[in-house]
């Protein structure tokens, strides 16, 4: 599909109204993203940008993807995602403070059971605490 001719009938918006195009790879184990500006696309369609700043647990190991892991506080407020969420959760466990947080990891597979996936679907964090799946996925994105 030619991105310059994309037309969204529902919103009545043409592609020239958008400054950027992005793609999310929301994976079972790892997630990532890429993006391109409209002007760069017109000049060089294959030119895209990807995040290369995720540090995989140490400053010497960089990754273009990050774990599909989400950390929320006890009120459900976003704390962190990816490597940062895994590292912070590990520290909380070591300090005995993880009960005040919700940690979700490798949760994408919940989407595959469409019969059970409803507006009010609950999904457990790794300790079994239920949380609205819609909120968890929204905060991950």
């Amino acid at each position: 599909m030619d991105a310059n001719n994309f037309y969204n009938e529902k919103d009545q918006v043409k592609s020239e109204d958008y400054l950027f195009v992005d793609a999310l790879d929301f994976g079972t184990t790892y997630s990532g993203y890429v993006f391109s500006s409209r002007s760069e696309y017109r000049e060089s369609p294959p030119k895209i940008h990807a995040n290369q700043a995720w540090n995989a647990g140490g400053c010497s190991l960089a990754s273009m993807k990050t774990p599909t892991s989400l950390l929320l506080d006890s009120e459900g407020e976003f704390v962190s995602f990816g490597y940062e969420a895994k590292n912070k959760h590990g520290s909380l466990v070591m300090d005995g403070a993880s009960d005040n947080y919700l940690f979700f990891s490798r949760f994408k597979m919940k989407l595959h059971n469409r019969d059970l996936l409803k507006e009010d679907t609950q999904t457990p964090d790794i300790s079994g605490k239920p949380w609205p799946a819609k909120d968890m996925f929204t905060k991950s994105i």
Side-chain angles (χ1 to χ4, degrees):
M1 173 190 316
D2 180 2
N4 288 321
N5 294 324
F6 178 77
Y7 182 75
N8 183 333
E9 292 179 27
K10 179 182 172 209
D11 297 327
Q12 301 293 305
V13 177
K14 295 182 180 177
S15 66
E16 57 267 11
D17 294 333
Y18 294 103
L19 296 177
F20 288 90
V21 172
D22 62 12
L24 301 173
D25 174 9
F26 192 70
T28 302
T29 307
Y30 291 95
S31 295
Y33 66 89
V34 294
F35 66 92
S36 181
S37 70
R38 185 176 67 225
S39 62
E40 285 179 322
Y41 176 81
R42 287 183 178 148
E43 293 170 17
S44 178
K47 185 175 185 179
I48 59 172
H49 304 278
N51 182 7
Q52 298 179 21
W54 280 311
N55 289 325
C59 53
S60 63
L61 181 58
S63 176
M64 291 180 67
K65 290 191 172 188
T66 193
T68 306
S69 299
L70 174 68
L71 182 64
L72 304 176
D73 68 16
S74 61
E75 301 298 316
E77 294 300 315
F78 179 85
V79 175
S80 54
F81 184 84
Y83 286 112
E84 186 179 337
K86 286 187 80 157
N87 293 339
K88 172 92 173 155
H89 181 256
S91 295
L92 291 166
V93 168
M94 296 298 289
D95 294 340
S98 63
D99 289 345
N100 297 324
Y101 292 85
L102 298 148
F103 182 69
F104 303 91
S105 186
R106 300 183 64 136
F107 49 83
K108 181 188 124 179
M109 296 308 289
K110 186 78 167 175
L111 294 174
H112 286 276
N113 193 343
R114 292 188 178 157
D115 293 336
L116 298 176
L117 193 61
K118 308 288 184 215
E119 184 75 22
D120 61 349
T121 296
Q122 299 280 311
T123 190
D125 78 339
I126 64 163
S127 69
K129 294 179 229 168
W131 196 256
K134 183 178 179 179
D135 185 62
M136 180 200 53
F137 284 108
T138 300
K139 288 180 176 163
S140 294
I141 293 170

